[in-house]
Amino acid sequence: MTIAPFTENAEENRPHFNRLKQLSVDIGQKNIDNVSMDILSMGMTGDYSVAIEEGATCVRVGTGIFGERRGIEL
């Protein structure tokens, strides 16, 4: 799982997603006991489309569904 840096331009996160995908492939090829690389969780509301293009199988889009978080009032 990764959370890429916040950026206005989602394309700036493509190298991060690409590298994580490659790491998941490399780890998967090692056939380590009890290690499964079936899920690649990366991307959030602002960059999920780029993450999917780079191989994400799980994205977090809470802001896209629920909207921006409100501040906590004390």
Side-chain angles (χ1 to χ4, degrees):
M1 179 180 79
T2 189
I3 297 174
F6 175 78
T7 179
E8 295 293 326
N9 180 359
E11 280 297 321
E12 292 177 21
N13 285 330
R14 188 175 295 277
H16 302 292
F17 297 142
N18 182 276
R19 179 67 179 132
L20 190 65
K21 171 63 176 181
Q22 189 58 52
L23 284 171
S24 73
V25 169
D26 292 346
I27 292 168
Q29 289 176 343
K30 293 185 183 297
N31 295 318
I32 302 169
D33 287 342
N34 297 315
V35 173
S36 171
M37 300 303 290
D38 297 336
I39 298 172
L40 181 56
S41 177
M42 56 186 190
M44 296 172 70
T45 297
D47 56 14
Y48 75 90
S49 60
V50 174
I52 291 170
E53 289 173 3
E54 292 298 327
T57 60
C58 179
V59 294
R60 293 167 302 284
V61 292
T63 301
I65 296 169
F66 301 110
E68 296 288 328
R69 292 183 185 192
R70 295 188 323 212
I72 298 174
E73 296 182 29
L74 300 176

